[in-house]
Amino acid sequence: MKRNKKGWIKEEFRKDYITNAVKLAFRKHQLKHSKNWQKKYYAEEVTKLKLILTDLVSKIQQDISRG
C-alpha cells in the first residue's frame, strides 16, 4: 500500500492528519457518551475537527497534483 511507504504525503501533512483524525475519533466517542452541556462542547469540537481535516485533505490533494 502506498500509505505504508515513506513519502506518500509530506510529513507535515501526515502528522497533522493523523493527530486530528485521532482527536476526531475520541471527540465523537465523547460526544456519544456525554450528557447535557458537554454535548454542545463536543459537537462543536467535532465540527471544528472535520473542517480542519477537510482543509488538510484539500492541501494534500493540491500537493499531490503538483508533483
Side-chain angles (χ1 to χ4, degrees):
M1 295 182 109
K2 269 188 168 182
R3 70 174 177 234
N4 293 330
K5 292 182 181 179
K6 186 175 180 179
W8 70 283
I9 59 174
K10 286 186 179 176
E11 190 64 18
E12 65 186 89
F13 295 139
R14 189 187 69 77
K15 284 181 181 180
D16 284 345
Y17 183 84
I18 290 171
T19 300
N20 286 295
V22 169
K23 279 184 190 177
L24 176 61
F26 279 112
R27 292 297 185 255
K28 286 175 84 174
H29 176 79
Q30 290 169 320
L31 174 61
K32 183 178 178 183
H33 297 284
S34 64
K35 293 186 174 24
N36 302 325
W37 65 270
Q38 291 176 328
K39 282 209 179 281
K40 182 179 179 188
Y41 173 78
Y42 290 126
E44 289 173 358
E45 284 287 305
V46 166
T47 301
K48 181 179 112 180
L49 288 165
K50 284 180 178 180
L51 290 172
I52 290 169
L53 285 169
T54 300
D55 185 51
L56 273 171
V57 168
S58 175
K59 288 178 182 178
I60 291 167
Q61 288 173 336
Q62 287 175 0
D63 187 58
I64 289 172
S65 68
R66 285 187 201 140

